[in-house]
Amino acid sequence: MNIRVFSSSYLGVEPYLIEVEIDISNGLPIFSIVGLGDTAISESKDRIKTALKNCDYKVEPKRMIVNLSPAGIKKEGAQFDLPIAVGIMLAMGYIRDKNSILDNYIFLGELSLDGKVRGIKGIINSMILAKEKNYTGVVLPLENLEEASLIEGIDIIPVSHLKEVAEFISNNTKPIFEKPQRKLNTEYKVDFSEVKGQTLAKRGLEIAAAGGHNILLIGSPGSGKSMLAKRMITILPPMTENEIIQSTKIYSVAGELNSENPIINKRPFRAPHHTSSPTAIIGGGKKISPGEITLASNGILLLDELAEFPRSVLESLRQPLEDGKISITRAHYKVNFPSKFLLVGTSNPCPCGFYFEGDKCNCSQHEVTKYMKKLSGPIMDRIDIHIEMRRLSEDELMNSSVAESSEEIRKRVIKVREIQRERFGNDETLNSNMSSSDIKKYCKILPEDREYFKSAIQMLGISARGYDKILKTARTIADLDDSIEIKRFHLMEALSFRRK
């Protein structure tokens, strides 16, 4: 008897439909799973047989062939345990599908040896697929309920045991459950008010947050670079519904969701160490998984001590910074991961770190030049805002006045984000990723400022990309100033954030 049960898997973060076909016939007893499954799928035979036995479903010695279609795509994970077990139960007559459940639902879940259904990765991707393909609903592990609840308009059947699945298919009896209430997680343990002085750096971070611009803080040890960089996440606006779904998809595929963080509704903040490998940063590996740049999507990627990262890692950031995605290609397939992150980098200006502190620096000019050359021109060109920071004076350190809080700065950032939403008609486009046509339309220079801007570009040796980034930054500065036009002092401030 041939049975078909629908399931799903994913390539990168994109889901696709899987047809689990089960054929049981008389003959030499065998249990074979075909369709390019990995070790976890191969080992599922023993899990499924034992789970069925412990649930009082006797697996008769028959010839059982399971096919995972499409057969030409490599499949990974234990999420096919449940659909295979359901197919065997139907084929052997232990349950009957009186209500065409199999044609309208997708089944996902890992089985334990006693028949319990365990949580899996990538549930939200399957929910999106089921909605796109017009399925009625998804039968999934109870552990994944909160993650699945992000997607509206699809029937969720959360199960904790194989017998609950059998009851649902045979009698259309749905498990009783309470839909979880989503809790917004917007609290941070750090705040901008804790940082003394560094007015210019705070201004640069506000502009970067408002327009989505990449930023680099270059300064002496103890000047507060890392302290400020770690607090930038506190001034970004709350995530939109679409961003929550996108980030949860990524973290679900990466296996980074748990009972404490079942969904991602707080902007990601990733800070990998400078000894991280290119694969850890970019993604890939034998079993392709998202890297730090993908996990940082819709949030911040902090590269502390940027010049200490291997050159191969820094150069591999070129495409993601430009395109907002990364393509990882293998012999037989290609995986695309999103990488729409805001890059925040910090660096010392020289090997000893005290180049900006006068006599304290003991580095030769050759050593300073060699150190900063670790950051190549193409990478520096892709960073919109460059801030030079010096250590605080004694008076600034002793100043007891309270600085502006993150909440106050965030209000201005949100206001500018609203301006950009009205300007571009969506939540995706920010000033930092304007197209060429958008720059022509929204970044017009006043006639009286053209000669000034032209001479400034010549003096600084600005590239075509750098030219566009100055205009984009100036547009954000004008938005913070509630100005429709980009005026000369907006251009001057934007120019001041570019290093020669």
Side-chain angles (χ1 to χ4, degrees):
M1 184 177 181
N2 187 274
I3 297 292
R4 182 180 65 174
V5 182
F6 292 108
S7 188
S8 76
S9 188
Y10 49 85
L11 197 59
V13 294
E14 297 304 318
Y16 62 94
L17 192 68
I18 297 287
E19 291 185 20
V20 180
E21 299 173 303
I22 298 97
D23 183 84
I24 299 180
S25 60
N26 293 322
L28 187 67
I30 189 174
F31 189 171
S32 178
I33 300 176
V34 297
L36 281 183
D38 67 352
T39 304
I41 294 172
S42 177
E43 291 176 346
S44 67
K45 293 179 287 189
D46 295 320
R47 288 196 301 272
I48 293 166
K49 286 193 293 185
T50 307
L52 288 171
K53 181 195 73 174
N54 290 331
C55 292
D56 301 323
Y57 300 114
K58 184 181 178 181
V59 181
E60 298 178 9
K62 299 276 189 177
R63 181 179 176 84
M64 294 188 292
I65 305 296
V66 177
N67 178 45
L68 305 178
S69 178
I73 302 176
K74 180 77 174 176
K75 301 163 193 73
E76 301 170 336
Q79 67 265 33
F80 304 115
D81 287 7
L82 183 60
I84 293 172
V86 166
I88 292 172
M89 291 162 68
L90 283 158
M92 290 190 166
Y94 292 125
I95 57 175
R96 291 185 180 181
D97 183 15
K98 303 172 184 176
N99 303 290
S100 300
I101 299 293
L102 264 63
D103 293 330
N104 298 301
Y105 283 80
I106 287 175
F107 291 78
L108 293 152
E110 177 186 339
L111 290 178
S112 64
L113 298 184
D114 60 358
K116 289 180 181 177
V117 182
R118 290 177 169 166
I120 61 168
K121 298 190 293 186
I123 277 291
I124 190 172
N125 307 59
S126 299
M127 294 293 296
I128 293 170
L129 176 72
K131 190 171 184 178
E132 289 175 348
K133 299 288 185 181
N134 295 317
Y135 281 86
T136 304
V138 179
V139 180
L140 48 81
L142 182 62
E143 290 178 35
N144 297 117
L145 175 59
E146 190 162 351
E147 178 188 345
S149 299
L150 279 175
I151 308 301
E152 301 288 345
I154 196 84
D155 194 17
I156 301 173
I157 310 297
V159 294
S160 57
H161 199 276
L162 190 57
K163 287 192 173 182
E164 292 179 12
V165 184
E167 187 67 22
F168 171 61
I169 295 172
S170 298
N171 304 314
N172 200 19
T173 305
K174 299 181 180 180
I176 298 173
F177 66 95
E178 186 176 341
K179 190 173 181 179
Q181 296 296 316
R182 191 190 307 174
K183 297 177 182 178
L184 289 177
N185 186 6
T186 56
E187 294 183 0
Y188 296 95
K189 295 180 180 179
V190 294
D191 196 275
F192 261 73
S193 61
E194 300 163 345
V195 183
K196 296 181 178 182
Q198 301 299 359
T199 306
L200 178 63
K202 290 178 180 178
R203 170 68 172 172
L205 289 169
E206 180 180 341
I207 294 168
H213 304 283
N214 299 318
I215 184 169
L216 173 62
L217 305 175
I218 303 175
S220 310
S223 60
K225 304 185 298 296
S226 300
M227 191 177 184
L228 279 168
K230 290 174 182 177
R231 281 158 177 74
M232 187 176 177
I233 194 73
T234 67
I235 63 172
L236 291 179
M239 296 180 78
T240 64
E241 190 72 17
N242 190 41
E243 286 175 332
I244 290 172
I245 292 172
Q246 287 176 356
S247 291
T248 303
K249 277 175 64 177
I250 293 167
Y251 277 71
S252 180
V253 166
E256 295 214 7
L257 297 181
N258 52 47
S259 57
E260 294 181 1
N261 295 295
I263 60 174
I264 303 300
N265 56 18
K266 189 176 182 180
R267 291 196 179 274
F269 180 84
R270 308 294 295 192
H273 193 258
H274 60 76
T275 56
S276 300
S277 67
T279 301
I281 302 292
I282 301 302
K286 186 176 180 180
K287 180 182 177 181
I288 293 184
S289 58
E292 292 291 338
I293 62 171
T294 298
L295 294 168
S297 285
N298 300 315
I300 287 177
L301 176 68
L302 169 61
L303 299 184
D304 206 4
E305 301 301 340
L306 191 64
E308 299 301 326
F309 280 80
R311 192 178 183 91
S312 59
V313 170
L314 296 180
E315 296 307 312
S316 63
L317 292 175
R318 290 193 195 183
Q319 183 207 350
L321 286 172
E322 198 73 18
D323 302 334
K325 64 179 182 180
I326 179 70
S327 297
I328 300 173
T329 305
R330 294 293 182 264
H332 300 293
Y333 61 97
K334 181 172 77 171
V335 174
N336 292 318
F337 286 121
S339 58
K340 294 182 179 178
F341 59 89
L342 198 160
L343 175 65
V344 181
T346 72
S347 178
N348 290 329
C350 64
C352 78
F354 295 104
Y355 182 71
F356 296 149
E357 307 301 326
D359 295 339
K360 289 185 179 180
C361 180
N362 55 17
C363 303
S364 67
Q365 191 57 47
H366 172 72
E367 288 174 324
V368 173
T369 303
K370 183 180 178 182
Y371 187 81
M372 289 311 298
K373 275 190 175 180
K374 291 181 178 181
L375 306 178
S376 68
I379 289 297
M380 293 292 281
D381 219 21
R382 286 168 168 80
I383 299 175
D384 310 43
I385 299 173
H386 308 156
I387 303 286
E388 293 185 359
M389 296 175 60
R390 289 164 176 77
R391 298 173 81 174
L392 298 180
S393 65
E394 291 79 3
D395 290 337
E396 289 174 314
L397 283 171
M398 298 297 292
N399 191 343
S400 59
S401 60
V402 180
E404 193 174 28
S405 70
S406 294
E407 181 61 31
E408 293 172 304
I409 301 172
R410 190 192 301 120
K411 288 177 182 177
R412 296 196 294 269
V413 170
I414 291 172
K415 184 179 178 181
V416 173
R417 289 288 181 103
E418 288 292 339
I419 292 171
Q420 290 167 90
R421 185 179 292 112
E422 292 177 14
R423 175 181 296 139
F424 303 116
N426 61 70
D427 292 316
E428 300 292 326
T429 308
L430 298 175
N431 289 337
S432 61
N433 55 19
M434 280 191 284
S435 64
S436 297
S437 58
D438 288 333
I439 293 173
K440 289 179 182 178
K441 186 176 181 180
Y442 301 115
C443 299
K444 293 178 181 177
I445 302 171
L446 297 174
E448 59 268 27
D449 296 330
R450 288 185 177 277
E451 282 302 316
Y452 163 78
F453 194 37
K454 182 179 178 181
S455 61
I457 290 170
Q458 290 174 342
M459 183 177 68
L460 293 172
I462 301 295
S463 67
R465 183 184 286 110
Y467 170 82
D468 285 348
K469 289 197 174 293
I470 290 170
L471 288 178
K472 292 174 182 179
T473 305
R475 178 67 271 168
T476 301
I477 295 169
D479 289 342
L480 281 165
D481 200 32
D482 274 333
S483 174
I484 296 174
E485 296 178 335
I486 296 177
K487 298 176 181 177
R488 180 175 293 196
F489 62 88
H490 299 143
L491 284 171
M492 290 173 68
E493 186 173 5
L495 282 163
S496 70
F497 291 132
R498 300 293 295 187
R499 283 171 66 89
K500 258 191 175 184

